[in-house]
Amino acid sequence: MNQRNTLKINRLGHLEIGGCDTTELARQFGTPLYVFDEAYIRQMMNVYKKSLKDNYDGNGIVLYASKAFSCLAVYAIANSEGIGVDVVSGGELYTALKAGFPADKIYMHGNNKTPEELEFAIESGVGVIVVDSYLEADRLNDLCAKKGIKQNVLLRINPGVEAHTHAYVQTATPDSKFGFSIANGTAEDITKYVLSKSNLALKGFHCHIGSQIFEKQSFVLAADKMMDFIALIKKETGFEAEILNIGGGFGIYYTDEDPKLTESDYYNYLKALCDEIKAKAKALKVREPFIALEPGRSIVGEAGITLYTAGAIKEIPGLRTYIAIDGGMFDNPRYALYQSKYTVVAADNMNAPCTQKITLAGKCCESGDIIAVDVPMPEVKSGDLVAVLSTGAYNYSMASNYNRNFIPQAVLVKDGKAETIIKKQTFEDLVRNDVIPERLK
Ligand code: LLP
């Protein structure tokens, strides 16, 4: 059903993932349930690894952007594949280290890292910190001076390429909270500033142009501008970047409005980037930089599905049919935030024809608590199993305990076996950090 054969319909007409019948998973673990296919995650990590190896002599590193899905198990998988990770908070860094991830293969991001996060990062020996403000350059330099360390850093640069899902444009006005703009000269200024800091070892530059992007040309254009910038800095200062980190952003399939990319499509996205960087290096007479790449969504997005049990069904004549599920915006806030679209299926009745349009609603006290609007479905009764596909990225990682609902359990499936990777929450978990002041008792 999807591109890497993780999803199938079995002979009982049930949805199967990683060799596991979803009705069995629901029976064993309950719903709502996040399910992740390990083979899929590994395949995607390998596509990028292979493309770097084939098209750039392996002179680079794949960093899994763990903001897409962060938990101990996913760092363990990334580590066993020999790739690096990108973390964006003390919490992600802690989780990676706790999973035994080697600190030198961790790149630390964030546009406003706290002093505590910076200290934690340097004390842990994080490989590279991506600096995104003057304040941070100062704080980091002072901290490193106190500890007698020289920290490897990159600078976050805004190349002025705004990427949309279905188009790309060059922006004249570099209005972003991230990075320093090449166009208005601030990128050059911060570079000179960081070069003057004795405890910061500037290694190169980073950019990230957006997420859920399908146009190869957007990435190529960004790489092109970054290489021009590298050449400009070399000319102006004599500093020649060793590392070019080109961020993440490769799109995935959610619904039929999106292209279905094959492994070779992702391979070729990266190949196009590598080719551009090589050609530009030659033309501009700068060294071919070590490339870092930060895919998040494309590694875990289609690897994950969420299983729900249908509850109350409400038909509003002439208007809409709502199917309420035992989950909602607390496990998947993406419709509420971005009006994101999803494919919804009747996991226990996959061969039934779609005879209606339904709106999948959550159980929170909020009308905007929706997962999908007016999507095709077969007849569904209360108690039936519903699956939402492509929920592996930015679902669990953006989940909350809104309305004091539980963040669902997550299982990892492989060769027909399922193992818990994130345990079920309990009522006790919900009040664990609550305190009643003495005077209120
Ligand atoms: N690197 C940097 C510096 C980033 O900011 C991001 C994503 C990535 C890599 C990974 O991008 P990916 O390959 O996953 O597209 N919550 C939103 C997505 C926010 C993405 C933020 N940055 C969503 O649910 O669509």
Side-chain angles (χ1 to χ4, degrees):
M1 275 181 66
N2 64 1
Q3 298 309 297
R4 255 69 59 195
N5 272 330
T6 171
L7 297 180
K8 292 197 176 108
I9 300 173
N10 70 14
R11 55 185 176 79
L12 300 171
H14 298 166
L15 178 66
E16 190 179 289
I17 177 166
C20 294
D21 184 321
T22 50
T23 64
E24 278 302 308
L25 292 173
R27 199 187 47 74
Q28 193 183 344
F29 299 101
T31 60
L33 183 71
Y34 295 117
V35 187
F36 286 85
D37 184 302
E38 182 174 340
Y40 189 103
I41 295 173
R42 288 186 186 276
Q43 272 173 44
M44 287 307 296
M45 289 176 175
N46 276 295
V47 169
Y48 292 124
K49 259 180 13 187
K50 183 165 167 31
S51 190
L52 265 184
K53 186 162 174 275
D54 295 352
N55 300 304
Y56 208 71
D57 289 333
N59 183 28
I61 187 167
V62 180
L63 305 168
Y64 163 60
S66 62
K67 57 184 78 64
F69 176 54
S70 173
C71 67
L72 293 172
V74 80
Y75 292 108
I77 294 174
N79 194 17
S80 74
E81 290 296 343
I83 66 170
V85 292
D86 131 16
V87 301
V88 76
S89 68
E92 286 184 0
L93 174 57
Y94 178 83
T95 313
L97 295 170
K98 185 100 182 158
F101 208 89
D104 61 327
K105 281 207 209 141
I106 300 179
Y107 281 49
M108 174 97 174
H109 281 283
N111 68 305
N112 190 29
K113 304 170 194 75
T114 63
E116 293 76 17
E117 285 174 326
L118 288 174
E119 190 158 4
F120 180 28
I122 58 172
E123 280 186 347
S124 320
V126 156
V128 177
I129 297 181
V130 183
V131 172
D132 196 0
S133 68
Y134 280 93
L135 175 72
E136 188 183 340
D138 290 339
R139 277 181 178 163
L140 193 57
N141 190 62
D142 291 351
L143 267 171
C144 292
K146 272 197 208 117
K147 294 183 193 293
I149 299 171
K150 197 156 184 176
Q151 174 65 45
N152 288 342
V153 298
L154 297 183
L155 276 170
R156 176 135 187 187
I157 302 299
N158 175 353
V161 177
E162 190 190 297
H164 297 291
T165 304
H166 297 295
Y168 71 92
V169 288
Q170 279 175 256
T171 45
T173 46
D175 178 9
S176 167
K177 74 167 184 171
F178 297 109
F180 292 89
S181 155
I182 297 177
N184 68 14
T186 53
E188 198 178 324
D189 296 342
I190 183 81
T191 304
K192 290 177 182 158
Y193 188 72
V194 167
L195 284 170
S196 76
K197 296 278 171 190
S198 46
N199 290 78
L200 302 182
L202 184 62
K203 291 285 159 187
F205 304 104
H206 165 268
C207 72
H208 169 77
I209 57 168
S211 203
Q212 185 62 359
I213 301 167
F214 290 105
E215 280 72 28
K216 231 189 268 176
Q217 209 45 36
S218 305
F219 297 108
V220 168
L221 185 59
D224 195 78
K225 296 202 162 220
M226 293 298 284
M227 288 303 287
D228 284 337
F229 181 67
I230 286 175
L232 171 81
I233 292 297
K234 185 181 175 192
K235 185 166 140 269
E236 296 289 318
T237 68
F239 167 76
E240 193 168 5
E242 289 167 45
I243 303 178
L244 173 58
N245 182 334
I246 45 195
F250 303 116
I252 65 164
Y253 175 85
Y254 285 101
T255 69
D256 284 339
E257 290 175 17
D258 304 311
K260 282 191 172 168
L261 302 185
T262 62
E263 278 180 48
S264 63
D265 290 320
Y266 291 103
Y267 178 96
N268 287 327
Y269 271 123
L270 187 47
K271 179 178 186 317
L273 265 169
C274 293
D275 290 349
E276 179 68 13
I277 292 168
K278 280 194 285 195
K280 286 292 277 194
K282 205 165 173 198
L284 297 165
K285 297 193 171 55
V286 294
R287 76 156 69 109
E288 284 180 11
F290 178 86
I291 296 180
L293 177 80
E294 300 173 333
R297 190 193 306 270
S298 54
I299 288 181
V300 289
E302 287 182 62
I305 64 171
T306 311
L307 301 178
Y308 300 105
T309 302
I313 298 175
K314 238 174 235 172
E315 258 186 74
I316 308 181
L319 208 56
R320 213 180 295 283
T321 299
Y322 282 102
I323 297 183
I325 46 165
D326 49 359
M329 65 193 293
F330 58 91
D331 64 75
N332 181 359
R334 295 190 71 257
Y335 178 80
L337 281 170
Y338 322 113
Q339 287 77 54
S340 306
K341 296 188 173 167
Y342 282 98
T343 298
V344 183
V345 296
D348 52 5
N349 199 9
M350 293 296 288
N351 294 323
C354 290
T355 50
Q356 57 170 346
K357 285 211 159 148
I358 64 101
T359 289
L360 203 66
K363 68 189 282 291
C364 291
C365 283
E366 185 150 334
S367 336
D369 175 23
I370 299 285
I371 301 291
V373 176
D374 290 341
V375 288
M377 276 296 264
E379 289 311 307
V380 174
K381 302 181 304 306
S382 304
D384 287 353
L385 188 66
V386 172
V388 179
L389 311 185
S390 298
T391 57
Y394 305 110
N395 275 223
Y396 171 77
S397 66
M398 295 204 299
S400 74
N401 285 122
Y402 185 43
N403 287 176
R404 293 242 146 166
N405 283 298
F406 298 135
I407 294 175
Q409 177 168 8
V411 296
L412 188 67
V413 292
K414 184 172 184 283
D415 301 330
K417 291 203 185 70
E419 291 161 294
T420 298
I421 52 170
I422 298 165
K423 287 197 252 179
K424 255 195 180 89
Q425 288 189 321
T426 61
F427 284 128
E428 195 44 44
D429 289 328
L430 299 176
V431 293
R432 189 178 304 287
N433 296 328
D434 290 12
V435 178
I436 305 179
E438 266 320 304
R439 63 183 181 79
L440 296 181
K441 282 184 185 161

